[in-house]
Amino acid sequence: MKNITSVLTWILLVAVGYLFFAHFSNAASGSKKTTTEVNAKEETPKVVYVNGDSLLNKFTTFQADLKALEARSKTMESTLASRGRSLQQEMISAEQKAQSGQMAPAQIQKEQQRLMQKQQNLVAQQESMSKQLLDERQKLQENLEKRVKDLLTAIRKEKGYDFILNYGPGTGVLMVNDSLNITNEVLEKLNAKQ
């Protein structure tokens, strides 16, 4: 019994000591917490946003590069279509010659192989042009992203912004205060750097 009493006394002393320590340490940190809360209220993050769609649509250099790429794409499509029509005419002509008996069986086989090779070359050329256009479009996009990111970094440092958000459809930002919109400022600087 004496042993249990001394253990209970010891536990009670430790518990009182802990409560005493916890009470005074909370009181000391409570005053610090109030100061921290005041500083946090004073140091509200500076948040602004840009409208990504407007940047894409009104950045003149990007739009000009995009139009030039689209023009090249149409030219390539036209060239391939013309070559395709020419090949089709050659196939029709070879078929007519073969049906009319103007070609020997060996000539027919040789002509078929030649036309198939020409068709394979045309398909390979189409794939090559498509890849080239895709690569150019990707490079154009990467250049745009780099220019915008570099400019936004400079603006953020200059103005002391903590966050610059992208606002638009599908961005996850649901509502914004229009007074925080810096899209026009960014566009002026992007278009001035031409």
Side-chain angles (χ1 to χ4, degrees):
M1 190 75 155
K2 191 177 196 183
N3 209 5
I4 293 176
T5 308
S6 62
V7 169
L8 287 174
T9 306
W10 185 79
I11 291 174
L12 186 59
L13 284 173
V14 169
V16 169
Y18 174 76
L19 290 174
F20 183 80
F21 174 77
H23 173 71
F24 285 107
S25 67
N26 280 344
S29 67
S31 64
K32 288 180 185 175
K33 189 174 182 181
T34 305
T35 305
T36 305
E37 288 174 357
V38 170
N39 287 342
K41 288 179 184 176
E42 291 174 5
E43 296 178 20
T44 302
K46 295 179 182 175
V47 179
V48 293
Y49 72 92
V50 294
N51 188 315
D53 290 343
S54 293
L55 285 182
L56 288 178
N57 294 330
K58 295 179 182 176
F59 181 23
T60 55
T61 301
F62 177 73
Q63 287 301 314
D65 291 345
L66 194 58
K67 285 179 184 175
L69 185 63
E70 288 171 1
R72 284 179 28 85
S73 174
K74 287 181 182 179
T75 300
M76 288 180 178
E77 286 175 15
S78 176
T79 300
L80 288 172
S82 174
R83 290 179 184 168
R85 285 189 300 273
S86 174
L87 178 60
Q88 187 177 16
Q89 288 299 328
E90 285 184 57
M91 288 178 164
I92 291 171
S93 176
E95 187 178 329
Q96 288 172 348
K97 286 180 183 178
Q99 288 177 352
S100 68
Q102 296 177 357
M103 296 174 76
Q107 286 178 313
I108 292 173
Q109 187 176 9
K110 189 175 183 179
E111 185 65 10
Q112 284 177 335
Q113 288 176 347
R114 183 187 75 80
L115 291 173
M116 285 189 59
Q117 182 62 45
K118 201 169 183 181
Q119 184 178 20
Q120 289 173 351
N121 291 343
L122 184 63
V123 169
Q125 188 178 23
Q126 181 181 14
E127 289 173 359
S128 174
M129 287 180 171
S130 294
K131 184 183 180 323
Q132 180 184 358
L133 287 171
L134 184 64
D135 290 345
E136 287 180 31
R137 187 173 192 88
Q138 185 176 357
K139 186 175 181 179
L140 183 65
Q141 188 71 29
E142 288 170 359
N143 288 341
L144 169 71
E145 289 174 10
K146 183 181 180 335
R147 281 185 78 176
V148 170
K149 186 176 179 180
D150 290 347
L151 179 61
L152 291 178
T153 299
I155 289 172
R156 186 185 64 77
K157 287 179 182 176
E158 176 188 332
K159 303 283 186 168
Y161 298 137
D162 293 310
F163 298 96
I164 300 177
L165 304 176
N166 178 20
Y167 176 66
T171 60
V173 179
L174 301 176
M175 297 295 285
V176 293
N177 179 340
D178 289 339
S179 69
L180 302 175
N181 187 352
I182 62 166
T183 305
N184 288 335
E185 176 185 351
V186 173
L187 278 169
E188 285 176 17
K189 291 183 179 193
L190 274 175
N191 290 326
K193 286 189 172 187
Q194 296 179 25

